[in-house]
Amino acid sequence: MKIKLILVGVFLIAGSATMLSLAQQKVGPTPTATQLAWHDKEFYLFMHFGPNTFTDLEWGHGSEDPNVFNPTALDCNQWASIAKAAGAKGIIITAKHHDGFSLWPSKYSKHTVRESKWMNGKGDVIKMLSEACKKAGIEMGVYISPWDRNHPDYGTLKYNEIYIQTMKELLTGYGRFFELWWDGANGEGPNGKKQVYDFKRFQDSALSYQSQLVIFSDIGPHIRWIGNENGIINETNWNLLDTAGFKRGAGSPPNDTLNRGNFNGKVWIPGEADVSIRKGWFYHPEEDNTVKSGKTLFDLYLKSVGRGGNLLLNVPPDRRGLIAAPDSAALMQFKKIRDEAFSNDVFKGAKILKTKNSIEVHLKKEESLNAIVLREDIQWGQRVIRFEISGGNDVEHFKPITTGTTIGHKRIVKFPLQKLKYLRIKYTESKASPLLLAIEGYEFPESL
Ligand code: FUL
């Protein structure tokens, strides 16, 4: 049951357009158009790929022989078509990880695909992936690690300039990216020195090359880390964050704050939950048996997308340069489970009654359901603080079903199976009159 009907309800009950315009006043910080579009992506893939894939490391030292990078059958079309088939909206690739190795022949480094024997030094993974994503109709993003354990200038002022030029090369040479990923890690470079990153300039420069970019880091500016690498967002999740006095990396807000946001935060900085499909971020053959099942991935989806954030699922290509069989099988299973779970909205065609503090669904006949999906119209601000769900077969006698807190972009609420004709969501606390975009009801298979 989508938006329009519900809004019609608001019109009727409010009785005048004035009420509507009052409800549609912005409350607190609100997302930009770019952030709104980012929210709607919900789920996309992360790919960690580079020398570590071949050396079995998670953090390369930066001194590796570039020749170790030698995928035997690299096929970015395979990555993109698997991502597409899994329902992922894009791929974010480690264009440069902490070891400094660039997956494109950067002018600003001597540690790149050009120095490797892969394709006789003529290869460019970023180019291949951007073409493959375009072909598959998905988007692409880049992880460009500020920490660089290879670059001789790391730890000096010059490196900040080099980092900016490196970003420029990527952001102006390969078409549009939807997201730029900044890792907070700041360790020592080859000279044992640490870098003082000029993030203000990094940010201004990146946005001057691609103004539509959504930049990720511990504290945004546009989207935040969720405080863990398990893909799990707190049940209460505010899209707001206070960043004053905090830094990326060691000076970031406590993980618990990142996990739930700030109730009265001053800036709209929603959370992105990153997690790997297998134990490590990079591919290691001995971790093939750690690949998460479709069912586990669905559970993570409920705990990330279902709690108002986005899910960034890492699926690292193997030494051939392909997504390994167990990973692609799990992704397809995950997609199948989602398709089944959300195949039949039992609220479709139902009558929706709306009052100031509640919304009621009157079904035509009794239905079985154990999950509902709620969406707030977040362009007007995130409003719902707490709600209660009740229902039954008789309008006069509703039984409590469950309770919840924030809604935001999407809230998926699971509860024990109910057979009912009427369901009510009562907003027990909200910052302002709640505006819902959608309310849907489903019967998830028992096994979920
Ligand atoms: C971390 C990095 O240090 C890991 O290697 C990985 O890239 C992860 C996504 O972010 O901070």
Side-chain angles (χ1 to χ4, degrees):
M1 173 67 50
K2 293 263 158 62
I3 177 180
K4 298 295 182 253
L5 259 180
I6 298 165
L7 282 183
V8 169
V10 179
F11 283 74
L12 291 179
I13 289 154
S16 82
T18 329
M19 279 289 283
L20 182 76
S21 56
L22 272 181
Q24 290 192 341
Q25 270 170 14
K26 294 187 173 179
V27 173
T30 52
T32 61
T34 316
Q35 284 173 318
L36 271 179
W38 172 86
H39 274 285
D40 285 341
K41 290 191 182 34
E42 294 189 351
F43 161 57
Y44 33 88
L45 301 188
F46 212 1
M47 292 200 183
H48 278 67
F49 189 52
N52 295 343
T53 311
F54 303 86
T55 55
D56 251 344
L57 292 174
E58 279 290 315
W59 280 7
H61 304 289
S63 51
E64 290 77 17
D65 179 346
N67 285 318
V68 298
F69 182 83
N70 196 14
T72 49
L74 185 130
D75 181 3
C76 292
N77 287 314
Q78 188 243 18
W79 308 0
S81 53
I82 289 176
K84 176 81 179 182
K89 294 289 172 0
I91 296 176
I92 300 180
I93 177 114
T94 52
K96 179 177 88 134
H97 201 252
H98 309 327
D99 59 15
F101 186 84
S102 308
L103 292 181
W104 77 105
S106 174
K107 277 198 294 213
Y108 303 97
S109 167
K110 294 201 171 69
H111 195 52
T112 79
V113 279
R114 186 186 53 232
E115 282 73 35
S116 76
K117 58 175 174 242
W118 173 61
M119 292 181 74
N120 295 319
K122 299 275 180 297
D124 184 340
V125 182
I126 303 302
K127 183 159 181 275
M128 290 165 128
L129 183 58
S130 68
E131 287 167 1
C133 286
K134 226 167 272 156
K135 198 162 137 201
I138 58 170
E139 297 196 56
M140 182 173 163
V142 274
Y143 170 121
I144 315 173
S145 171
W147 183 23
D148 191 317
R149 302 177 95 179
N150 173 273
H151 207 286
D153 293 317
Y154 189 85
T156 71
L157 274 180
K158 197 170 161 205
Y159 176 80
N160 283 337
E161 189 53 41
I162 285 164
Y163 185 79
I164 289 171
Q165 292 308 319
T166 305
M167 283 196 307
K168 183 173 180 187
E169 209 176 34
L170 274 174
L171 299 178
T172 58
Y174 297 91
R176 270 164 83 108
F177 294 122
F178 79 99
E179 186 168 322
L180 168 60
W181 221 87
W182 281 339
D183 199 296
N186 178 350
E188 294 175 357
N191 303 330
K193 289 192 219 150
K194 281 196 185 180
Q195 181 74 28
V196 181
Y197 303 130
D198 191 347
F199 273 117
K200 167 86 178 73
R201 273 189 67 212
F202 293 177
Q203 180 176 325
D204 292 347
S205 310
L207 294 173
S208 76
Y209 309 134
Q210 295 207 18
S211 59
Q212 85 296 338
L213 267 183
V214 167
I215 303 181
F216 166 99
S217 85
D218 296 334
I219 51 167
H222 305 122
I223 48 175
R224 71 174 195 267
W225 184 48
I226 208 65
N228 64 59
E229 292 180 336
N230 310 322
I232 300 175
I233 300 181
N234 197 274
E235 279 199 50
T236 298
N237 174 26
W238 291 97
N239 292 306
L240 312 177
L241 193 70
D242 284 322
T243 57
F246 292 110
K247 291 192 172 128
R248 295 172 176 89
S252 70
N255 288 351
D256 179 59
T257 302
L258 294 172
N259 199 233
R260 56 177 68 229
N262 290 120
F263 177 81
N264 272 326
K266 298 210 172 26
V267 200
W268 187 276
I269 307 182
E272 180 187 78
D274 61 327
V275 61
S276 187
I277 199 167
R278 35 175 69 228
K279 186 161 171 269
W281 291 104
F282 285 86
Y283 179 83
H284 308 290
E286 71 281 10
E287 291 180 359
D288 277 355
N289 59 1
T290 67
V291 173
K292 296 177 175 59
S293 68
K295 205 173 138 193
T296 302
L297 295 175
F298 183 71
D299 187 53
L300 289 177
Y301 175 85
L302 297 181
K303 291 174 174 155
S304 53
V305 176
R307 292 179 179 172
N310 279 6
L311 173 61
L312 173 60
L313 178 65
N314 180 63
V315 181
D318 63 15
R319 290 178 184 171
R320 295 168 303 166
L322 296 173
I323 295 179
D327 308 58
S328 65
L331 281 172
M332 294 312 119
Q333 221 189 341
F334 175 35
K335 174 70 162 68
K336 190 160 166 256
I337 292 173
R338 275 163 26 242
D339 286 349
E340 272 170 25
F342 300 110
S343 63
N344 181 29
D345 173 10
V346 299
F347 291 174
K348 217 179 205 152
K351 200 157 91 188
I352 303 289
L353 301 181
K354 201 169 178 237
T355 69
K356 196 162 159 265
N357 296 318
S358 71
I359 181 160
E360 255 176 45
V361 183
H362 290 199
L363 298 164
K364 288 199 190 105
K365 58 174 179 54
E366 186 185 272
E367 298 279 2
S368 299
L369 68 149
N370 54 14
I372 62 167
V373 176
L374 301 170
R375 293 187 57 195
E376 259 186 280
D377 195 354
I378 51 175
Q379 64 176 312
W380 308 107
Q382 189 179 356
R383 301 177 177 203
V384 177
I385 301 172
R386 215 174 286 286
F387 62 88
E388 287 172 2
I389 305 179
S390 58
N393 277 315
D394 161 6
V395 222
E396 302 295 319
H397 302 97
F398 277 17
K399 278 197 284 224
I401 297 176
T402 189
T403 60
T405 55
T406 48
I407 297 178
H409 175 260
K410 185 175 270 188
R411 177 73 185 209
I412 306 174
V413 192
K414 251 175 64 172
F415 42 80
L417 195 73
Q418 310 286 320
K419 283 184 193 297
L420 44 80
K421 224 180 142 206
Y422 304 101
L423 181 126
R424 180 188 297 139
I425 316 268
K426 187 170 167 225
Y427 309 113
T428 42
E429 233 185 303
S430 65
K431 290 187 176 179
S433 196
L435 286 171
L436 280 206
L437 263 183
I439 174 165
E440 297 160 7
Y442 296 100
E443 183 182 354
F444 288 174
E446 275 303 303
S447 59
L448 302 175

